[in-house]
Each structure stands twice: as C-alpha cells, then as structure tokens.
Amino acid sequence: MDRALSIGRLAERSGTNPPTIRYYEQIGLLKRPDRREGGHRTYGQTDLTRLTFIRRCREFGFPIEQVRSLVDLLENEDRSCTDARDLARDNLTLVQAKLEALRALETNLIQMVNDCEAVCVGGPGPNCVILEDLSEPSRSKCQGC
Amino acid sequence: MDRALSIGRLAERSGTNPPTIRYYEQIGLLKRPDRREGGHRTYGQTDLTRLTFIRRCREFGFPIEQVRSLVDLLENEDRSCTDARDLARDNLTLVQAKLEALRALETNLIQMVNDCEAVCVGGPGPNCVILEDLSEPSRSKCQGC
DNA sequence: GCTTGAACCTCAAGTGACTTGAAGTCCTAC
DNA sequence: GTAGGACTTCAAGTCACTTGAGGTTCAAGC
C-alpha cells in the first residue's frame, strides 16, 4: 500500500542501515532513487524487493561482486540459472572449508580451557597450559611430523 | 645455532610475511629489533618464539588486542592464568556461535543447489529456485513466524 | 504559523589486519 | 665489479561497511 518509503523505512523493512543503503547506491548495487523536493530519497516496492535480495545474498556470505552477478541474473532473462547454481556451489565449498577449520578450532579451545581448569587455574600466568599450547608451532600444516 | 635472522628468514620460520612482521612492529606487538649497519633488521631466537606465539594466537582467531593481553600474560609473572582461561573461553563462545551460523548456511546452500539441479538447471536465470530462495526475506530472526 | 527534534543530506575518515606498490638502498654470490 | 634478490620507508589499497562532522528538511504538537 505504502509506495513511497523513506530511507529509514526502507532500512527497517529490509533489515539494513541507512548508511549501508547509501553505500550500496554509491557502489552501483542499488540504482539511484527518486528524490523529494528537499533532496530526501524515496523508494518503492521494487527497491525493497531488490534490497531484500541483496541482504539475503550477503547473509549467505556472497561477496559483493557475486551479489552483483546474482542481481544481474535475477533481472536478465537471457542468462541461464546454471550460473546461479555455480555461484552457490562455489560458496558452499568455501563455507565447508571454513566449517572444518572452525571445528578444529573449537576442539582445540575446549581442550585448552579444560586442561587449564584441571591443571593450573589460578596459578601464575606464564605457567598456564593454554599459553604453553599457544607457544607451540602450528601443527595444522603437517599432521604427521 | 643461527642467532641472527633476517626478516625474510624470520618470516619463513614463523609462517608470516615480512610486511606482516613490520606491521606487528609498527603496532607495538613485536618490539623494535636490532639493526645491521645498513639498516636491515636482525632477529634472534626470542623473537622467533614470540612471533610464533602471536601467529598461533591469530590462527586461533584471537583479535590483535587479545593477543596483546596474551603476550603480556606470557611475559608477566604477576598475572594469573585465570585471565588466559577467560580469554580462551570468550573466544570459544564466539567460535561456537560462528559454527552454528555456518552450519545453517551450509544446509541452506546444499538445499539450494540440489533444488536447482532437480528443478530448473539450465533454464532462464530469473526463474531459478536459488534466486527465488534468495528473494525471500530472512527467516533466521524469527523461526516461529 | 512556529518550534522542536528526529530524520535526513553530503563528504571524509575510521575499522581490522593486513597487502600492495613505488622508489630507492643493501647484501651476497659469482 | 656487477647482477639481482632481499631489504628499506612511506603511502595507499583491500572489504564491507560504520562513524563523525556539520548542515538541511520534515512531521508533529502547540
């Protein structure tokens, strides 16, 4: 019903901040909106849809340049959705790599905290097992040696 | 044996880049090293140990300011290791939150890719189920509604 | 119609943790 | 002696915004 949205309302409804919207406009991800007499931006339903799409993409971890491709895909009848699948698949691979690293990190941190509580908690800083652990060179690169 | 390391060798042995080492020096995380006649930096075993510690902390996701605390902890007899445990615990909480978000992301992305392959792959971009999914407002904030 | 204060405007700089580039100097091996 | 690789400093770039300064416009209440 409400067609003309201020930047603040658009921000609210799309889950963004006004400065972020201006930033997206600046980098050409959102097109320049109409202005009121005083210079304030006004937006319509189409802008809300597009911005929501952009935010979703960002939540899904797509970097801005990929979001640009996806927006293009969404608005261009001539492009095949295979591109969208490929982008999603690349993104999935990245997410899975990050997951693996984070899981290893979690295991290590849990171990550190537990060891500290069992062995040295309350003792002098330099003797703490956590600091000892952190002083060892990384084992992540050569598991075998 | 080799006491005097150039910045390049130190970088190699610690798994860092020379500019990163200079950056750590600049922000006061590494102390200013001795110089040769010509101005080149030289490092010893202590520097290698400290830098290795810093890199490990960074690999574990500690932000620079926390690394600063941990270094202080490591070199200060008067501080208790409870502080180290608390920092590790805070970090663990953050890691676990990230893990949860990434797992949800992974599930969503897998779903998208699979759906696309089952339903629309090869079709025109704008009809792709992936783009439809991305156009829906986020459900992550209110699971129930 | 006037006032108040929230929301808006632009432009520039800041964030974190580095990386990259330019332009010049030093060191080592041949 | 010389070639070229490693080093030096300083500044600017990266990503995706966020924050701040300083000024203007809008909507609501009186």
Side-chain angles (χ1 to χ4, degrees), chain A residues 56 79 81 89 117 125 136, chain B residues 56 79 89 117 125 136:
Chain A
R56 279 281 283 173
R79 291 192 54 185
C81 85
R89 207 141 62 178
E117 276 172 359
E136 283 169 29
Chain B
R56 279 280 283 173
R79 289 190 56 185
R89 207 141 63 177
E117 275 170 1
E136 283 169 29

Side-chain angles (χ1 to χ4, degrees), chain A residues 56 59-60 79-81 85 89 96 99 105-106 108 117 120 123-125 128 133-134 136 138-139, chain B residues 56 59-60 79-81 85 89 91 96 99 105-106 108 117 120 123-125 128 133-134 136 138-139:
Chain A
R56 279 281 283 173
E59 277 173 26
F60 275 89
R79 291 192 54 185
S80 156
C81 85
R85 187 208 47 193
R89 207 141 62 178
Q96 285 170 336
L99 264 174
L105 197 53
E106 188 193 20
N108 270 298
E117 276 172 359
C120 64
C128 177
D133 262 12
L134 286 167
E136 283 169 29
S138 171
R139 278 150 306 183
Chain B
R56 279 280 283 173
E59 277 173 26
F60 275 89
R79 289 190 56 185
S80 156
C81 86
R85 187 207 48 193
R89 207 141 63 177
N91 201 242
Q96 284 171 335
L99 264 174
L105 198 51
E106 186 193 21
N108 270 299
E117 275 170 1
C120 65
C128 177
D133 261 12
L134 286 168
E136 283 169 29
S138 171
R139 281 151 304 185

Side-chain angles (χ1 to χ4, degrees), chain A residues 103-113 133 139, chain B residues 60:
Chain A
R103 280 196 202 104
L105 197 53
E106 188 193 20
T107 308
N108 270 298
L109 284 169
I110 289 173
Q111 181 88 51
M112 280 183 191
V113 171
D133 262 12
R139 278 150 306 183
Chain B
F60 275 89

